[in-house]
């Protein structure tokens, strides 16, 4: 049986505060992870590869609606990652692009 008491407002407020704290800590951890990943050339290569594979830089149009929906789902993941990079370490994005362009010239 649940211990939830709808009348115990203090308990509800404490639970909400606890959840908000856990959510804030998780967001801070994720932000630190993205910054850490973007600090190294190896990490930037990983992010660039994910952005490319997710289809961020190409159209996802298809005459097959299901294929297009699948592509848009993949693209959405890449767009979320790109938004995090731009928000958390915007100075690293141009460096990542320069490195990717240099690798393409070497190929």
């Amino acid at each position: 049986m649940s211990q939830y008491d709808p009348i115990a407002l203090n308990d509800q407020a404490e639970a909400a505060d606890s959840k908000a704290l856990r959510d804030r800590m998780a967001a801070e951890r994720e932000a630190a992870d993205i910054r850490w990943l973007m600090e190294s050339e190896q990490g930037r290569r990983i992010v660039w590869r994910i952005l490319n594979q997710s289809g961020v830089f190409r159209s996802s149009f298809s005459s097959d609606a299901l294929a297009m929906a699948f592509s848009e789902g993949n693209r959405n993941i890449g767009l979320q990652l790109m938004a995090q990079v731009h928000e958390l370490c915007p100075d690293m994005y141009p460096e990542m692009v320069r490195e990717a362009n240099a690798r393409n010239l070497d190929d």
Side-chain angles (χ1 to χ4, degrees):
M1 182 166 176
S2 174
Q3 298 296 325
Y4 178 74
D5 182 0
I7 299 174
L9 298 179
N10 287 338
D11 292 346
Q12 292 175 27
E14 285 178 23
D17 290 345
S18 177
K19 181 176 178 350
L21 177 61
R22 285 192 314 272
D23 290 348
R24 188 171 61 251
M25 289 176 65
E28 289 172 5
R29 223 176 9 255
E30 184 174 354
D33 291 347
I34 295 292
R35 286 187 195 102
W36 173 83
L37 186 63
M38 290 296 291
E39 284 177 1
S40 72
E41 185 176 352
Q42 183 179 17
R44 290 188 296 274
R45 278 195 312 265
I46 292 169
V47 171
W48 188 257
R49 187 169 44 249
I50 292 170
L51 293 177
N52 272 321
Q53 290 173 346
S54 65
V56 167
F57 305 116
R58 65 180 178 270
S59 172
S60 58
F61 177 78
S62 172
S63 57
D64 179 352
L66 294 177
M68 189 165 64
F70 180 80
S71 295
E72 276 299 303
N74 283 333
R75 189 168 186 270
N76 185 49
I77 296 297
L79 290 172
Q80 289 177 28
L81 177 58
M82 189 183 309
Q84 286 180 312
V85 168
H86 283 298
E87 177 185 342
L88 300 170
C89 41
D91 53 320
M92 300 307 294
Y93 183 80
E95 185 171 347
M96 180 175 63
V97 172
R98 278 191 297 275
E99 292 166 353
N101 287 337
R103 282 191 304 275
N104 286 341
L105 291 177
D106 293 340
D107 292 342

